[in-house]
Amino acid sequence: MLTAVVGLNWGDEGKGKMVDAITGEVDYVVRYHGGGNAGHTVVVDEGRFSLHNLPSSVFRPDVVSVLGPGMVVDVENFVAEVEFVVAHGVDPERILVADTASVCFPFHRDLDAAEEVRLGKASYGSTRMGISPAYGDRVMKKTLLVRDLFDPEHLDAKLAPVLDWANARLTTIYGTDPVELADVRAWVDKLADRLRPHVADVTSLLRRAFAEGKHVLAEGQLGALKDIYFGIYPFTTSSTCLAAHAPVGLGTPWAKLDRVIGVSKAFSSCVGAGPFVSEFDDETADRLREQWGEYGATTNRPRRLGAFDGVATAYGVLMQGADEVALTNLDQLTGIGDLQICVAYEHDGERTESFNADPTVLDRSTPVFETLPGWDEDITGVRTYAELPAAARAYVERIEQLLGAPVRYVGVGAHRDALIDRGGDH
């Protein structure tokens, strides 16, 4: 069985919590795209952890956590993160990385940062973790795969053209110092032995897993609005965030998805530049950001906040092919008064419920809001849907109507157990 957990918005939807929460029934969790550029926060008995490279399942003792072939792997940060979770009781043998994943080198981070500086006010809001240059170099056939790091006989010959390409940009475009081959070799030598125990032929591994009837979960990064093909381009990431890509990014392109869970917060949040139609005014955003602790898990940048955007999220449901929705962070809306939901956009004097990912269209769009009553009761201890205040249920059900997909899960707190599973109740 193959399940995908994916984002319906800009990222930061709470996918990490959902992956961690439902992996009691899963054998393998595989990240199928992206890299260390986005955080996945999980709150478990061992504590609160912000993961960047590892799947959110890593604290589940019976789950094998895998970085798939579709990822760009920051080896240095991956190794450091593995050692960190192992120090908190995780079995290192249950952490694997695909031998055919791309390597994200330190000079990719340098290139990423230099380009953001060059762009200035027109920058994309990159995390500067090297993801865009690393994916670009994979397409240009100018990077190494994980397996290449363990081929000392040919390593220098493989690195030379990669460094020539990196240095041509660093020196000519950005005016910075070139990268030396000896420094990169030293970086590889320092990390290779620590990485080696985790490297695996993931395609063969998962082929056997599917043949044995194992349950594999594909963990997405960011969300549909950040997808390189169908997101708000160019304010996107550099990989495809969609569930349809999961079999490819897992290394099993023949596999069929059995279930897609789309994740959205009960309000809107976004890190980075680009249009954000339902965004709060600065005063409201500043107040709620402090109250809710809404800062990026990777960069600690303040998240932009807004009302729940039914137009954008319905588009996310469509693009992800979501069978059901997990609505997270409902508890954060407690006690803030009446709640607005964006039910349509007004564009050039006309109302529309359709989402157009063109940023020039979104920049000229304004939200059409519907107001619902809020609630004041503490819901963090609620574990059945019927126990929620009537106003909270009405809010969830209005969102369900707008999305055209059942809201199966409702998150009411940060811990993995703070989750309502509506099951067949709706």
Side-chain angles (χ1 to χ4, degrees), residues 265-287:
K265 280 179 177 168
F267 51 91
S268 296
S269 70
C270 171
V271 172
F276 189 14
V277 175
S278 68
E279 189 166 14
F280 291 139
D281 61 75
D282 290 345
E283 180 181 349
T284 301
D286 288 345
R287 172 173 54 83

Side-chain angles (χ1 to χ4, degrees), residues 364-382:
R364 301 199 312 273
S365 299
T366 56
V368 177
F369 288 122
E370 186 175 291
T371 302
L372 280 75
W375 59 90
D376 295 321
E377 299 92 331
D378 179 6
I379 63 173
T380 55
V382 171

